[in-house]
């Protein structure tokens, strides 16, 4: 691994810093924003506006990039002690802190320009998300469930597009927000399971540690809350059968994941695979929502 890192170009290291070599994490942030855009546009009885679609894609990529750099700047001394993260550019010192800060400034500027295009409510929500994103890495040091902070940050990806379309937030927006927060708690707790042995040794907090022997039932509960809220949302918006079929499929996948998590001696790669499955769940739900336009 060390020899590979040493021969990487600076550009390749920046790509890894931004996690663009691992698109699942970028897509799983973008998907709730697309859900929100599609459903809010449906309330207006219009297709999703192309300009807002572009802003959602750009804003999600830029915000995710900035969040990754902030995380790695905070955690560079911890990441080097964790098997999954020890090769990250800032942790391995293959990329300088100065260059990392420059990349962060560029990503933050792109996110700001995307937000500045939006109406005042959406812009204000974008600014409100910044401290939540910035404080998340620190929460892993003292808050027992840092995944909750991440989930709240993820929830802004619902509120911002909704406000961009409707210039307000109604009950449906908050139902979708709640579903996304619960879903994020579920899939990020699964992801945290892959690091639990190292996190315990290093002293990093996580929901997978806090929940202990109840982690699997906790994950199931988070996904169950997401199903209930997504179902309620569909009923309130009078969405068609296609949407409810995709929600049912998502529920079946999450039930299967709960069964899988109850197996013993699962390798770290299994948890990461289950996490990536949630990207496909998100795409399936997006298709169900698009069928209602």
């Amino acid at each position: 691994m060390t020899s590979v890192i040493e021969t990487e170009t600076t550009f390749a290291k920046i790509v890894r810093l931004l996690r663009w070599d691992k698109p699942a994490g970028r897509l799983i942030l973008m998907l709730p924003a697309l859900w929100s855009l599609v459903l809010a546009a449906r309330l207006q009885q219009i297709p999703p506006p192309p300009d807002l679609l572009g802003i959602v894609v750009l804003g999600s990529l830029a915000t995710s990039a900035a969040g990754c750099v902030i995380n790695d700047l905070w955690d560079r001394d911890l990441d080097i002690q964790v098997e999954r993260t020890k090769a990250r550019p800032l942790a391995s010192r293959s990329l300088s802190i100065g260059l990392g800060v420059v990349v962060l400034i560029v990503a933050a500027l792109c996110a700001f320009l995307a937000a500045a295009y939006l109406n005042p409510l959406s812009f204000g929500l974008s600014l409100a998300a910044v401290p939540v994103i910035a404080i998340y890495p620190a929460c892993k040091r003292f808050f027992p469930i840092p995944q909750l902070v991440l989930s709240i940050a993820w929830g802004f990806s619902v509120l911002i597009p909704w406000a961009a379309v409707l210039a307000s937030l109604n009950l449906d927006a908050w139902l979708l927000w709640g579903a996304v927060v619960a879903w994020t708690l579920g899939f990020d707790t699964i992801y945290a399971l892959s690091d639990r042995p190292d996190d315990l040794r290093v002293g990093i907090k996580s929901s997978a540690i806090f929940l202990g022997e109840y982690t699997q039932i906790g994950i199931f509960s988070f996904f169950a809350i997401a199903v209930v809220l997504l179902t309620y949302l569909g009923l309130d918006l009078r969405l068609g059968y296609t949407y409810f079929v995709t929600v049912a499929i998502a529920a079946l996948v999450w039930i299967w994941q709960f069964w899988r998590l109850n197996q013993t001696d699962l390798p770290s790669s299994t948890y990461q695979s289950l996490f990536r499955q949630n990207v496909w769940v998100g795409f399936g739900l997006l298709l169900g929502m698009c069928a209602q336009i």
Side-chain angles (χ1 to χ4, degrees):
M1 174 63 74
T2 302
S3 60
V4 172
I5 292 174
E6 289 174 349
T7 58
E8 269 188 319
T9 65
T10 299
F11 177 76
K13 292 172 185 175
I14 292 173
V15 166
R16 286 202 301 115
L17 175 65
L18 301 177
R19 313 284 201 276
W20 286 352
D21 59 324
K22 297 179 178 179
R26 305 330 101 216
L27 292 172
I28 212 166
L29 173 63
M30 189 184 300
L31 283 165
L34 292 174
W35 296 353
S36 176
L37 182 65
V38 166
L39 293 178
R42 183 182 185 277
L43 282 176
Q44 292 284 74
Q45 297 184 329
I46 59 172
D51 58 335
L52 290 183
L53 178 60
I55 291 297
V56 164
V57 172
L58 173 61
S60 298
L61 289 174
T63 302
S64 176
C68 288
V69 181
I70 291 171
N71 183 82
D72 287 9
L73 286 169
W74 270 103
D75 287 353
R76 62 188 185 278
D77 293 330
L78 295 177
D79 283 346
I80 195 67
Q81 304 177 63
V82 176
E83 182 64 30
R84 183 180 59 83
T85 60
K86 66 182 182 181
R88 285 177 174 174
L90 293 178
S92 64
R93 276 46 175 184
S94 64
L95 206 62
S96 70
I97 293 175
L99 185 52
V101 171
V102 170
V103 174
L104 171 60
I105 291 171
V106 172
L109 180 60
C110 291
F112 175 81
L113 291 174
Y117 179 84
L118 303 173
N119 61 36
L121 178 57
S122 291
F123 181 71
L125 289 167
S126 300
L127 294 182
V130 173
V132 183
I133 295 168
I135 198 65
Y136 161 67
C139 291
K140 288 182 279 185
R141 292 157 170 79
F142 65 87
F143 186 58
I145 313 177
Q147 280 70 24
L148 177 60
V149 180
L150 178 69
S151 299
I152 292 171
W154 236 253
F156 279 99
S157 69
V158 168
L159 302 180
I160 293 167
W162 196 284
V165 175
L166 298 174
S168 64
L169 297 173
N170 59 11
L171 173 63
D172 296 319
W174 292 109
L175 288 171
L176 186 59
W177 177 87
V180 168
V181 168
W183 179 47
T184 307
L185 273 168
F187 69 65
D188 206 53
T189 300
I190 291 175
Y191 200 76
L193 282 168
S194 65
D195 293 336
R196 185 158 63 177
D198 285 334
D199 287 348
L200 283 166
R201 175 175 51 80
V202 176
I204 298 173
K205 309 293 186 183
S206 82
S207 53
I209 293 172
F210 177 77
L211 292 171
E213 63 181 302
Y214 302 105
T215 298
Q216 288 83 356
I217 193 66
I219 292 168
F220 179 81
S221 299
F222 298 144
F223 287 151
I225 291 169
V227 170
V228 169
L229 292 175
L230 288 170
T231 301
Y232 188 3
L233 176 67
L235 292 171
D236 199 56
L237 291 176
R238 298 182 181 179
L239 302 181
Y241 290 112
T242 303
Y243 169 78
F244 290 103
V245 167
T246 60
V247 172
I249 292 171
L252 289 173
V253 171
W254 290 330
I255 290 170
W256 179 85
Q257 290 192 343
F258 172 66
W259 173 83
R260 189 76 177 93
L261 288 169
N262 278 283
Q263 309 304 301
T264 57
D265 299 323
L266 292 176
S268 174
S269 59
T270 298
Y271 299 123
Q272 295 173 42
S273 175
L274 293 175
F275 165 79
R276 289 191 295 271
Q277 287 174 11
N278 278 277
V279 178
W280 294 107
V281 170
F283 271 117
L285 289 167
L286 178 62
L287 289 175
M289 295 171 186
C290 287
Q292 312 305 315
I293 297 175

